[in-house]
Amino acid sequence: MRKNKTYSYIYLILWVIPLMFFIKDFFHLEEIKSLSFYENFQLFKISLTQGVLSVIFSTIIAIMPAYYMSYRKNMLTKILEGLIFIPFFFPTISTVVAFTLIFNLPILKDFSILYTLKAIILANVFYNSPIMIKYLSEGMRNMPKNIIEAAKIDGLNEISIFFKIKIPLMFPQIFRGMFLVFIYTFASFGIVLALGGIRYSNLEVEIANTLLRDANFSKALMLGIVQFFFLIALNFLGDLYPPYELRDDYREKKVSALITIWTVIYLLLECLVVFIGIFYGFYNYYTGKFSLEGFYKLFSSDFNAYYPVLRGIGNSLLLASITPIFVIIFTYLLLKNFTKVTSAIVFSTMGFSSAFLGIALIYINILYDIKLWILLVIGYFLITVPIAYSFMYQYVREFPKDILDLAKIDALSPFKTFLLIECPILKNVFLGTYLQIFAIILGEFTISYSMQLGRDFPTIALVNYSLFSDKKLLEGTALSSVNIIIVVVLFYLSNKITERE
Amino acid sequence: MKRTVLAGLFLMSLTSFGEEIVIYGPESMKWIENSAGVIFKEKTGATIKYVPIDGVIPRMKLEKKNPKADIIVGLTDINYLEAKEDNLIKNYKPTTAGNIAKESFIIDKEWSVTPIDYGMLALNYNYEKTHSDLKTFEDLKKYPKELLIQDPRSFTGEAFMLWTIGVYGENWLKFWESLKPSILTVSSGWSDSFAKFSVGEGAIMSGYASSSIYFYQDGNENKYKSYIPEEGGYIYLEGAALVNKKNIKKSAEEFLNFVLEPEFQKLALEKNYMFPVIKYDLPEDYKYVPTADKIVKLDAEYVNKNMENWKKQLIEVLKK
């Protein structure tokens, strides 16, 4: 089949168009010249510190649970596997809520964790360590036994085997995990905004502040470019370490008590944060009693006159239902027309600032009155294509060629091949991807926040943020609980569906 | 002919009656749509759509080519100059301008902005945590990690910075350096600080003198107090302005007339906890608002010239 580069370029153009309008009208070279190198370098350093520390701690904390997950198969392993829902499904606002409540607990308050670097790193580690567990355990699990045995025969001891054989074999996997954690924490927004304060503002928060408060659009653009090229460079670095195609059968191994205890504690702590996020929806922080008052208020018409909770839920559900359809169709076409540039284009956009994209989209609304929901669908489409691409890559690219060849022999058109052959086989993959994108959009905060849509097109995340800003703790935690419950159910369904594959 | 005239009259009535005006302003003035909007509709037939915007002037700069708002509220006697110099707002003298109680309430003689209300900055504190009354700026330094302040790029944060410049003059940055150990966090804006203060995250916050009325109404006047440091108080005026656009709506001008009427001023008192700019008897609760014998004042043009640099310097200190 002839590969068509058009889809890759369409994706690139969709990114460039909104940015072009903005750049054309607001980019002034003289403003860039007046920027202080030191000030911006400091910003970069803060982002880098947060990213690097989060990667280091997420990796260290994940080693033992990953080891446990690689060599044991029981209930604990299943729950550990389930934790991957946190980085991809758990809403940022719910994380912020849970950590604010935790750091304000009487036993922790004296440690003054809130509004420090510690608070950001702890939240980042909670959020991203499951990614490291996934990648580390995959690396450990697929370590071919025969290579290790050969090393032993050659006289290498356990330490030498670990450093000379295991680490180099696992490195590409570890690197991919670290890269993902780094991207998520280097360009983190909600957590830094709410748990860090001005002192720890990273590039992404500074871009939003510069756009929304300073009106220094050239500076924001410059910061966005720095962030973009830095992450692209890192992305290309990843290509230097292609993963080894290793596969080995699962084998159970005895794990030490220390590893088991560490894994249990880790699991409890991760689940505790999720639990607190739900629990405070049912517990009145002020009276110290269980109540459903927050939920009643949340859905009452009086309350909705001031805080558009129902509209927010409706809007988020609408966007989350529509967008994944476009994302899946487009990603499928991208993968069917995969060329050398496809991955480079798709993954390079992961480093682009969502806050900047939000402002560029609202600028299109200002210029051409394009409906906000359409612009939001475009925005969410752009940021979720790389995620769908990762999820669907293996299934679409490695679809059995013999089946497709048979379809060609039967002279089926590409559309009929898709409809009659690929779609029935891949339907669970599509459904699983749909639910994952659905959950991501439900919790999305940065784009809608920078577009300032609280009045015209509120989303769940925006209303939730506004509730916390206005000290409506009871209602805010209730809404956060609703959001968490929805994503947990979605995750469970998505897991069940993809398990069947 | 008769029909054409009638149709014309009908269309004209539609353009003024049933018109919608879009107002941009801070989150704290959301009451304009629900409360003032009802009265305004009764008077003019026009409806109000209030859009809370974080950073009104930057948003107006973004919308310069095709402004969506008709009115902006929340401009101060300082930052209106930035909007005026950028041609973002248009002069209009309200027909009710005669209601203004004092000449000093008129922000701009050219009427690029109409005063709505005025207020005084203050420091609000939780007496149950400080266990003693605070009197000066220097007293703040006695409480490590208890002070909640706002980003100088926010409305209240900017005003608080100007207050310290008014009090300490050239040494204002030195004051901030020495204040740093007392700062718990720099919030994105007043609402965020107030939320943190209310749930007990910090014992002191930079805010407004009129918050005392809110504390009183909530039955918390013994727990939460406000004070204006002996070094001097800081008064600021808030205003509304017409957005400079091709088609200025009639009801947008009517809104500016309306803000100087007693009904709107009463709402500014009740909902915004601010002082009226027209002659109006203050409610009993206002006796709880602290006052100052000494007021510091800064020249708007001098401030406007240096503002960007001052903010930069302060942010640098806060980030260190």
Side-chain angles (χ1 to χ4, degrees):
Chain A
M1 198 174 118
R2 264 186 61 218
K3 304 288 179 194
N4 192 344
K5 279 186 186 173
T6 320
Y7 294 100
S8 305
Y9 291 127
I10 288 176
Y11 182 65
L12 193 64
I13 289 165
L14 273 173
W15 263 98
V16 171
I17 289 175
L19 302 175
M20 281 312 294
F21 285 106
F22 189 80
I23 292 167
K24 185 172 79 65
D25 289 345
F26 294 107
F27 184 71
H28 305 294
L29 198 63
E30 57 279 16
E31 281 177 9
I32 299 291
K33 283 179 192 161
S34 66
L35 291 179
S36 148
F37 172 79
Y38 176 76
E39 186 193 324
N40 293 304
F41 177 72
Q42 285 301 107
L43 258 179
F44 180 76
K45 219 171 88 179
I46 290 170
S47 305
L48 195 66
T49 309
Q50 288 173 14
V52 170
L53 287 179
S54 303
V55 167
I56 292 173
F57 286 110
S58 298
T59 310
I60 293 171
I61 279 175
I63 290 173
M64 285 202 234
Y67 189 86
Y68 188 92
M69 206 164 107
S70 311
Y71 301 116
R72 306 292 295 175
K73 232 179 197 172
N74 52 29
M75 194 60 186
L76 209 61
T77 324
K78 274 204 158 176
I79 306 174
L80 269 177
E81 274 171 3
L83 286 184
I84 199 68
F85 104 94
I86 292 173
F88 295 111
F89 280 73
F90 201 69
T92 316
I93 292 295
S94 302
T95 308
V96 166
V97 172
F99 274 98
T100 307
L101 292 166
I102 291 168
F103 296 145
N104 270 323
L105 288 173
I107 42 163
L108 290 175
K109 210 169 177 187
D110 291 341
F111 292 100
S112 300
I113 301 171
L114 206 54
Y115 314 124
T116 63
L117 185 63
K118 280 177 269 179
I120 297 172
I121 303 299
L122 280 169
N124 278 344
V125 169
F126 155 78
Y127 218 58
N128 296 291
S129 53
I131 296 179
M132 286 315 301
I133 293 182
K134 178 181 153 42
Y135 281 90
L136 279 169
S137 63
E138 272 174 14
M140 289 175 186
R141 195 181 292 153
N142 290 326
M143 190 77 60
K145 210 176 170 183
N146 55 350
I147 298 180
I148 309 290
E149 290 303 325
K152 275 183 188 165
I153 292 164
D154 285 347
L156 262 70
N157 60 23
E158 279 296 327
I159 296 169
S160 301
I161 289 173
F162 183 76
F163 284 105
K164 290 183 178 164
I165 311 282
K166 288 185 178 176
I167 292 275
L169 281 174
M170 279 165 51
F171 187 73
Q173 287 285 4
I174 300 174
F175 185 85
R176 273 161 182 250
M178 284 178 157
F179 174 69
L180 266 185
V181 174
F182 185 82
I183 278 199
Y184 289 145
T185 52
F186 182 88
S188 165
F189 182 72
I191 286 172
V192 181
L193 183 76
L195 299 178
I198 199 170
R199 209 170 155 198
Y200 302 101
S201 288
N202 60 2
L203 277 167
E204 188 71 14
V205 172
E206 198 60 23
I207 288 169
N209 275 335
T210 310
L211 289 166
L212 300 177
R213 292 177 163 179
D214 285 351
N216 191 342
F217 303 123
S218 304
K219 180 186 171 185
L221 183 70
M222 200 58 220
L223 296 177
I225 289 170
V226 168
Q227 179 166 302
F228 178 64
F229 281 108
F230 176 68
L231 293 177
I232 278 194
L234 261 189
N235 193 11
F236 283 126
L237 199 66
D239 291 343
L240 297 177
Y241 304 102
Y244 298 102
E245 289 294 329
L246 300 175
R247 284 266 165 243
D248 204 18
D249 293 333
Y250 168 77
R251 56 190 184 278
E252 191 142 336
K253 223 174 165 183
K254 216 180 159 194
V255 293
S256 70
L258 175 72
I259 290 176
T260 311
I261 292 168
W262 178 275
T263 306
V264 171
I265 292 172
Y266 168 80
L267 205 61
L268 286 175
L269 289 175
E270 287 281 309
C271 292
L272 183 75
V273 177
V274 179
F275 175 72
I276 282 180
I278 301 172
F279 174 77
Y280 275 95
F282 299 89
Y283 180 79
N284 191 327
Y285 191 82
Y286 299 109
T287 61
K289 285 179 184 161
F290 285 95
S291 86
L292 292 172
E293 199 191 328
F295 293 94
Y296 291 137
K297 270 193 172 177
L298 213 56
F299 299 110
S300 71
S301 52
D302 286 352
F303 192 75
N304 273 272
Y306 287 91
Y307 297 96
V309 177
L310 293 171
R311 264 182 71 208
I313 293 175
N315 288 341
S316 289
L317 289 176
L318 175 81
L319 293 167
S321 320
I322 297 172
T323 318
I325 299 171
F326 296 112
V327 174
I328 291 167
I329 295 171
F330 189 80
T331 309
Y332 169 80
L333 291 170
L334 263 179
L335 288 167
K336 289 302 279 184
N337 293 283
F338 181 87
T339 65
K340 271 183 192 170
V341 294
T342 311
S343 287
I345 289 178
V346 169
F347 288 117
S348 63
T349 57
M350 275 181 90
F352 203 85
S353 158
S354 295
F356 205 98
L357 177 65
I359 290 288
L361 289 171
I362 200 72
Y363 190 55
I364 292 196
N365 169 267
I366 291 165
L367 291 179
Y368 302 110
D369 283 323
I370 295 177
K371 296 268 178 229
L372 291 168
W373 70 268
I374 296 175
L375 293 170
L376 275 173
V377 167
I378 294 173
Y380 292 163
F381 171 88
L382 290 172
I383 59 162
T384 51
V385 163
I387 297 159
Y389 186 87
S390 311
F391 291 152
M392 289 163 57
Y393 184 91
Q394 184 193 347
Y395 301 100
V396 178
R397 294 279 304 137
E398 291 172 16
F399 193 87
K401 287 213 168 33
D402 44 350
I403 302 179
L404 295 175
D405 288 341
L406 283 173
K408 265 186 197 169
I409 293 165
D410 284 347
L412 283 183
S413 67
F415 181 67
K416 278 202 168 164
T417 309
F418 170 75
L419 210 64
L420 301 173
I421 297 168
E422 286 176 295
C423 197
I425 295 173
L426 293 174
K427 70 173 189 305
N428 286 340
V429 173
F430 293 148
L431 199 57
T433 312
Y434 180 91
L435 292 175
Q436 300 206 8
I437 304 287
F438 189 101
I440 289 166
I441 293 175
L442 218 54
E444 203 285 333
F445 176 62
T446 317
I447 291 183
S448 47
Y449 174 82
S450 54
M451 285 174 86
Q452 304 212 48
L453 300 179
R455 169 66 175 80
D456 287 330
F457 202 86
T459 59
I460 295 183
L462 278 184
V463 179
N464 217 344
Y465 184 73
S466 151
L467 288 174
F468 280 102
S469 295
D470 289 359
K471 74 182 172 73
K472 304 279 176 201
L473 209 59
L474 202 63
E475 298 82 357
T477 39
L479 184 57
S480 182
S481 305
V482 171
N483 210 355
I484 295 171
I485 292 166
I486 295 174
V487 295
V488 168
V489 172
L490 285 174
F491 175 73
Y492 177 77
L493 287 176
S494 143
N495 244 12
K496 281 277 154 209
I497 290 164
T498 37
E499 254 175 32
R500 282 193 226 148
E501 282 307 300
Chain B
M1 180 67 188
K2 216 175 175 180
R3 272 187 192 171
T4 320
V5 172
L6 278 175
L9 283 173
F10 176 70
L11 280 174
M12 270 174 70
S13 71
L14 274 183
T15 52
S16 56
F17 204 85
E19 198 172 49
E20 181 187 73
I21 53 165
V22 178
I23 302 178
Y24 281 1
E27 183 89 25
S28 58
M29 289 171 98
K30 274 195 291 198
W31 54 270
I32 287 182
E33 179 172 321
N34 292 325
S35 305
V38 178
I39 306 168
F40 186 67
K41 192 173 182 186
E42 275 172 20
K43 279 176 170 270
T44 64
T47 51
I48 291 174
K49 179 184 171 186
Y50 188 86
V51 183
I53 295 285
D54 186 11
V56 178
I57 297 178
R59 181 57 174 255
M60 294 312 300
K61 286 183 180 177
L62 195 70
E63 292 192 5
K64 203 173 177 181
K65 270 193 172 177
N66 186 21
K68 290 188 171 278
D70 300 294
I71 295 277
I72 41 174
V73 295
L75 289 174
T76 65
D77 47 347
I78 298 285
N79 71 12
Y80 84 96
L81 265 177
E82 189 185 349
K84 190 180 174 184
E85 282 172 6
D86 245 9
N87 282 321
L88 300 172
I89 50 178
K90 196 171 166 45
N91 296 353
Y92 175 75
K93 186 177 179 180
T95 53
T96 48
N99 292 354
I100 294 175
K102 282 184 195 171
E103 178 93 21
S104 58
F105 289 154
I106 297 171
I107 297 173
D108 180 19
K109 289 207 166 71
E110 291 174 357
W111 292 93
S112 62
V113 62
T114 300
I116 295 180
D117 51 26
Y118 73 96
M120 242 183 165
L121 289 187
L123 287 139
N124 311 121
Y125 61 99
N126 182 339
Y127 186 78
E128 287 175 5
K129 284 187 161 187
T130 59
H131 304 295
S132 63
D133 283 318
L134 284 82
K135 287 190 166 57
T136 63
F137 270 116
E138 298 304 313
D139 284 346
L140 295 172
K141 298 175 188 170
K142 293 177 192 164
Y143 303 94
K145 292 259 174 218
E146 289 292 356
L147 178 62
L148 295 157
I149 57 159
Q150 300 82 30
D151 190 319
R153 290 168 291 194
S154 72
F155 181 83
T156 319
E158 178 186 292
F160 189 58
M161 176 189 79
L162 294 176
W163 187 10
T164 60
I165 293 171
V167 167
Y168 289 95
E170 282 179 2
N171 294 320
W172 72 282
L173 269 178
K174 277 187 193 153
F175 165 74
W176 277 97
E177 292 268 13
S178 60
L179 188 66
K180 269 192 75 182
S182 303
I183 298 171
L184 173 64
T185 188
V186 183
S187 304
S188 55
W190 178 84
S191 302
D192 192 29
S193 288
F194 196 66
K196 290 179 166 95
F197 179 68
S198 305
V199 295
E201 278 186 19
I204 313 162
M205 73 169 273
S206 56
Y208 300 98
S210 45
S211 290
S212 289
I213 306 164
Y214 177 77
F215 301 146
Y216 169 74
Q217 288 171 351
D218 249 19
N220 275 323
E221 69 271 24
N222 292 324
K223 183 178 178 185
Y224 297 119
K225 297 183 176 188
S226 306
Y227 83 102
I228 295 168
E230 287 167 355
E231 291 93 335
Y234 182 84
I235 291 178
Y236 70 97
L237 281 147
E238 270 186 322
L242 277 182
V243 173
N244 189 8
K245 60 201 283 191
K246 235 187 212 167
N247 300 314
I248 305 276
K249 289 178 186 163
K250 179 102 185 67
S251 31
E253 292 176 347
E254 280 170 347
F255 179 79
L256 291 186
N257 300 336
F258 174 57
V259 297
L260 292 173
E261 286 179 9
E263 292 109 312
F264 186 92
Q265 292 290 310
K266 183 175 178 270
L267 285 171
L269 268 171
E270 290 168 356
K271 307 277 181 186
N272 225 21
Y273 297 103
M274 295 288 272
F275 290 89
V277 287
I278 67 168
K279 272 191 188 134
Y280 196 91
D281 290 333
L282 292 173
E284 186 75 355
D285 308 354
Y286 271 70
K287 70 178 183 212
Y288 293 100
V289 180
T291 51
D293 299 328
K294 190 179 158 194
I295 299 293
V296 294
K297 212 160 167 46
L298 294 162
D299 174 62
E301 287 200 18
Y302 166 66
V303 171
N304 196 39
K305 225 168 73 186
N306 292 289
M307 184 77 96
E308 205 182 316
N309 194 29
W310 285 339
K311 281 183 191 173
K312 233 184 206 177
Q313 287 176 312
L314 181 54
I315 288 171
E316 208 171 292
V317 168
L318 294 172
K319 279 190 173 182
K320 255 190 234 164

